[in-house]
């Protein structure tokens, strides 16, 4: 393994109030933060990891809060980083007592001076070597002082430690010399990978699983009515002003030399040339060819305000993830402005980005961006598909659904639940036609072009910040031709935009677990649901877990044994569109809410990437909560669960049992992609009752369980 060493960090005191240390972190702009606490405990975090923790806790900037930094960051023993004194050989990290940890800080080191308590460098498997001449880890302040050290303070270069079985990265200057020895790439590669065999690789080679960091950097000032130029790049080190996790490029060939990714930009305040589309070429161990994007800042943008620019990265038609940059707006065109930056916690984008070269791509990905939380009906649609003759030139469109699309959707779902069996389809199709009419005209044109070109059902992936409307229920029509709803005709999946870097095409093999609470009250008892869960035990060898809070929380927070591929819950659920985070499922001894599942203590998804199937009333619904998409889907996706299936409205118990039987057979036995299996169930039973229309898939539309499950 290769351990990188860097001095691009700041040391802060975890036992001081967060309001004292956070301004120091923000002002330093260091790429890494070392949090040191009583007893010598230390944690090594990337800057973006630290601010992600702050976004999750939502409390660090409460005026007057006295909570210590370590409490605000929720740092405990589990993610402790290794501590090294002087030039001692890095020890093998003992994770035996914390075997279930997924925190990256546990796999990093903090090197302290041989004498004293000063941190002189940090290291880890994901630490990129930084120029020792430009990095400046401030000295740890006296306890209670909170004062930042001089800005020009520079730490001495640490001695390279003696190692056994560990390869250290070489100094930055030598790394650059070795990179220049690699043969240049002749133009941009035409495929996602280019190969050059028999190349001597440097010791700090990126290997077959390279990681890059998104950067959106303006060239010159940003002013109302002026031109703006943005360089979109993927760097080997994190770019502090850009929010968005590292881009994992997936498993590449051993001799790869270059990877080309698409990039798109979206902003409510900038009209980009060429629809904001470009390409970034990554070269092994070397500099990238950045995408240079230009556009016009709208005239009505207020001087002194900030423009939010969203970037999406694409591998073919698969969206790999996103990044965000806030740009400070100057007073007039060509006027100098201060260097743009991003306020801590301001960006809604969270998580890593991921390229999966072997994944089956969708025919069409639709990225729906919500520009302004104050205008929830204003949406930008971006369509990404492989080019072909007949594809319309315009692949972007915008719509405005009004001030409160959530209320309309919630009201409609309640009506759908009460539709008469066998007479429900016309009503749902009528709603679907209204959705079709409200979708951008550009999308409608792209849909018919794809239909005419392929002459088969499509695979459609939504990645959306819109929390309200089930676009899967759109019913396409044109003169002389009408289709069933998208969900009945095509394979459709959706993902929540701010977690799109967490979307995975592979669902790992493992156990099936069922939870079916045995409610004490006769009025709430679901005998058929209990029977259905028992059938999964008998047919698929599923493991039954007690339907109590202790049983559910134990499974989610402290999973043991072999990997859990699929978690099935059947019971009562309740959704509150006005307080999505308070939505709950009913267990035998109380409720379990959305907020409880969204906590960092929930580790099952990180450990196993489990597919979750909630067969309970209304739990598939989402709504606006705390400025982001709320609901069960958001909670599970945020904790790295790879797929979530649930109904949007109240369901019939008998029909729900049929869905379970059919879906589990197709997914677990026949290994059919989850999106295909769900589409087939809808199409087969769509005329029976509205229950079969209600199920949504939050996940990769082509993902399937591994064959060993």
């Amino acid at each position: 393994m290769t351990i990188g060493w860097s001095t691009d960090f700041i040391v802060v005191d975890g036992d001081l109030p967060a309001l004292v240390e956070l301004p120091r972190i923000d002002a330093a702009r260091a790429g890494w933060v070392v949090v040191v606490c009583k007893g010598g405990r230390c944690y090594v975090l990337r800057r973006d990891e630290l601010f992600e923790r702050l976004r999750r806790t939502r409390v660090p900037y409460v005026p007057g809060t006295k909570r210590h930094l370590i409490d605000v960051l929720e740092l405990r023993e589990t993610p402790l980083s290794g501590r090294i004194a002087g030039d001692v050989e890095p020890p093998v990290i003992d994770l035996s007592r914390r075997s279930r940890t997924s925190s990256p800080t546990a796999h990093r080191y903090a090197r302290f001076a041989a004498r004293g308590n000063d941190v002189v460098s940090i290291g880890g498997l994901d630490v990129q070597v930084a120029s020792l001449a430009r990095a400046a880890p401030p000295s740890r302040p006296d306890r209670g002082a909170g004062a930042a050290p001089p800005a020009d303070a520079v730490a001495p270069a640490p001695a390279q430690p003696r190692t056994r079985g560990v390869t250290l990265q070489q100094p930055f200057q030598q790394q650059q010399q070795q990179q220049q020895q690699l043969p240049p790439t002749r133009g941009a590669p035409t495929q996602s990978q280019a190969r050059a065999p028999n190349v001597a690789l440097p010791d700090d080679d990126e290997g077959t699983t390279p990681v890059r960091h998104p950067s959106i950097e303006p060239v010159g000032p940003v002013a109302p009515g002026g031109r703006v130029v943005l360089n979109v790049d993927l760097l080997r080190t994190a770019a502090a002003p850009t929010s968005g996790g590292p881009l994992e490029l997936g498993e590449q060939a051993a001799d790869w030399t270059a990877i080309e990714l698409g990039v798109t930009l979206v902003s409510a305040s900038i009209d980009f040339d060429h629809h904001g589309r470009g390409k970034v070429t990554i070269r092994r161990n070397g500099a990238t060819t950045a995408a240079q994007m230009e556009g016009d800042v709208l005239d009505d943008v207020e001087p002194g305000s900030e423009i939010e620019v969203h970037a999406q990265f694409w591998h073919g038609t698969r969206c790999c993830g996103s990044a965000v940059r806030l740009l400070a707006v100057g007073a007039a065109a060509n006027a100098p402005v201060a260097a743009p930056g991003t306020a801590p916690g301001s960006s809604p984008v969270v998580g890593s980005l991921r390229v999966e070269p072997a994944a089956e791509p969708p025919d069409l990905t639709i990225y729906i961006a919500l520009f302004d939380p104050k205008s929830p009906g204003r949406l930008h649609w971006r369509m990404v598909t492989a080019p072909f003759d007949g594809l319309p030139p315009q692949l972007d469109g915008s719509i405005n659904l009004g001030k409160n699309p959530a209320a309309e959707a919630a009201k409609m779902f309640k009506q759908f639940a009460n539709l008469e069996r066998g007479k429900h389809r016309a009503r749902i199709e009528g709603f679907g036609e209204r959705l079709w009419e409200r979708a951008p005209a550009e999308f409608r044109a792209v849909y018919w072009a794809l239909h005419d070109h392929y002459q088969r059902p499509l695979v459609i992936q939504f990645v959306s910040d819109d929390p309200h409307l089930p676009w899967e229920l759109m019913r396409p029509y044109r003169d002389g031709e009408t289709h069933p709803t998208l969900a009945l005709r095509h394979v459709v999946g959706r993902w929540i935009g701010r977690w799109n870097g967490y979307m995975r095409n592979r669902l790992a093999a493992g156990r099936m677990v069922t939870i079916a609470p045995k409610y004490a009250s006769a009025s709430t008892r679901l005998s058929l649901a209990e029977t259905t869960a028992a059938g999964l035990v008998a047919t698929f060898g599923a493991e039954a877990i007690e339907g109590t809070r202790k049983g559910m929380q134990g499974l989610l927070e402290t999973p043991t044994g072999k990997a859990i591929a699929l978690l099935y819950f059947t019971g009562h659920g309740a959704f509150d569109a006005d307080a999505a985070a308070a939505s709950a499922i009913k267990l035998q001894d109380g409720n379990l809410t959305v907020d409880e599942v969204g906590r960092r203590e929930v580790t099952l998804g990180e450990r196993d990437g489990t597919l979750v199937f909630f067969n309970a009333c209304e739990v598939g619904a989402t709504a606006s909560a705390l400025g982001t998409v709320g609901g069960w889907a958001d909670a599970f996706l945020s904790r790295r669960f790879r797929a979530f299936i649930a109904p949007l409205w109240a369901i019939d118990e008998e029909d729900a049992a049929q869905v379970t039987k059919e879906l589990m057979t197709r997914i677990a036995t026949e290994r059919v992609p989850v999106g295909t299996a769900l589409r087939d169930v809808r199409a087969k039973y769509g005329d029976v009752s509205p229950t079969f229309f209600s199920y949504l898939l939050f996940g990769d539309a082509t993902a399937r369980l591994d064959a060993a499950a």
Side-chain angles (χ1 to χ4, degrees), residues 81-430:
S81 297
R83 182 184 172 107
I84 306 170
D87 60 353
V88 175
E89 176 182 335
V92 176
I93 299 176
D94 181 12
L95 298 177
S96 60
R97 291 185 298 110
R98 41 184 176 163
S99 58
R100 290 185 296 274
T101 182
S102 59
S103 176
T105 188
H107 298 272
R108 297 176 185 146
Y109 302 94
R111 181 183 301 284
F112 287 77
R115 296 181 180 179
N117 205 32
D118 291 335
V119 183
V120 296
S121 63
I122 55 100
L125 301 180
D126 60 342
V127 176
Q128 300 293 330
V129 66
S131 172
L132 301 180
R134 69 174 179 83
S139 301
R140 188 184 184 194
D142 294 333
R143 194 167 297 275
D152 58 354
V154 179
Q160 293 296 331
R162 298 184 298 272
T163 62
R164 181 169 55 249
V166 178
T167 303
L168 296 181
Q169 291 189 339
Q170 296 174 311
F172 182 75
Q173 293 85 352
Q174 185 175 351
Q175 172 190 339
Q176 291 293 88
Q177 294 171 0
Q178 290 177 321
Q179 290 173 359
Q180 293 172 2
Q181 297 173 4
L182 291 177
T185 303
R186 296 183 178 178
T190 56
Q191 299 179 359
S192 63
Q193 299 178 13
R195 302 184 179 185
N198 303 320
V199 175
L201 299 176
D203 291 339
D204 66 333
D205 174 48
E206 291 186 82
T208 58
T209 56
V211 176
R212 293 297 182 104
H213 300 267
S215 169
I216 306 171
E217 190 67 28
V219 179
V222 180
R227 291 288 288 178
V228 63
V229 179
L230 300 177
N231 282 336
V232 183
D233 210 340
L234 290 166
L235 309 174
R236 293 194 68 175
T237 57
T242 301
S243 174
L247 175 63
E248 302 172 13
L249 297 175
E251 187 69 31
Q252 305 295 320
D255 54 357
W256 77 275
T257 61
I259 304 171
E260 186 178 86
L261 297 178
V263 59
T264 58
L265 292 183
V266 179
S267 176
S269 302
I270 301 176
D271 182 12
F272 286 107
D273 300 347
H274 309 297
H275 310 297
R277 296 169 188 254
K279 294 181 179 179
V280 176
T281 301
I282 300 164
R283 292 182 175 82
R284 187 169 188 161
N285 307 324
T288 60
T289 298
Q292 188 170 88
M293 323 280 273
E294 298 187 29
D296 296 311
V297 180
L298 301 186
D299 294 333
D300 59 358
V301 174
E302 291 290 333
S305 64
E306 290 181 319
I307 292 175
E308 190 170 278
V309 178
H310 291 247
Q312 301 90 39
F313 296 92
W314 302 86
H315 184 256
T317 59
R318 290 180 54 81
C319 188
C320 309
S322 301
V324 167
R325 176 70 187 264
L326 294 181
L327 306 177
V329 181
N334 302 317
V337 296
T342 183
S346 64
S347 170
V349 173
V350 179
S352 64
L353 296 80
R354 175 79 173 186
V355 177
E356 295 183 285
E360 179 185 349
D363 296 306
L364 172 67
T365 294
I366 305 161
Y367 193 98
I368 303 177
L370 175 65
F371 281 142
D372 184 358
K374 297 179 182 178
S375 302
R378 187 184 178 193
L379 305 173
H380 178 276
W381 287 42
R382 167 151 287 167
M383 282 69 73
V384 176
T385 186
F388 57 84
D389 290 340
L391 184 66
Q394 180 58 266
L395 301 179
D396 290 78
S398 298
I399 55 176
N400 196 331
L401 301 175
K403 295 182 178 180
N404 195 8
E408 179 181 356
K411 182 179 180 181
M412 192 64 64
F413 297 156
K414 291 183 181 296
Q415 294 176 2
F416 287 170
N418 296 316
L419 293 177
E420 185 177 353
R421 296 171 63 87
K423 298 180 181 180
H424 60 283
R425 185 158 178 168
R427 181 68 181 278
I428 295 176
E429 289 176 342

Side-chain angles (χ1 to χ4, degrees), residues 412-429 431 470 473 485 487-488 615 618 646-656 659 678 681-696:
M412 192 64 64
F413 297 156
K414 291 183 181 296
Q415 294 176 2
F416 287 170
N418 296 316
L419 293 177
E420 185 177 353
R421 296 171 63 87
K423 298 180 181 180
H424 60 283
R425 185 158 178 168
R427 181 68 181 278
I428 295 176
E429 289 176 342
F431 174 68
L473 295 181
T485 61
L488 264 68
N615 215 3
E618 302 182 35
L648 275 174
W649 54 78
I651 52 178
D652 177 85
E653 187 179 4
E654 184 175 347
D655 295 334
V659 170
L678 193 55
V681 170
R682 296 190 198 103
K684 184 176 180 180
Y685 297 100
D687 288 331
V688 175
S689 87
T691 290
F692 296 96
F693 280 85
S694 70
Y695 292 89
L696 290 186

Side-chain angles (χ1 to χ4, degrees), residues 460-476:
I460 301 174
Q461 181 74 55
F462 287 92
V463 179
S464 178
D465 290 325
D466 162 38
H468 309 300
L469 293 177
W471 298 105
E472 296 89 333
L473 295 181
M474 279 190 288
R475 190 187 190 210

Side-chain angles (χ1 to χ4, degrees), residues 475-493:
R475 190 187 190 210
Y477 68 86
R478 62 181 173 181
D479 290 344
E481 187 172 5
T482 302
H483 283 181
T485 61
L486 294 184
L488 264 68
R489 181 181 179 87
H490 307 290
V491 175
V492 184

Side-chain angles (χ1 to χ4, degrees), residues 515-520 530 545-549 569 585-591:
I515 297 179
K518 295 178 173 60
Y519 301 120
E530 295 175 27
I545 300 294
E546 186 180 29
T548 61
R549 283 182 54 85
F569 170 84
I585 54 172
K586 183 177 178 61
L587 299 170
Q588 291 170 200
D589 55 351
N591 291 342

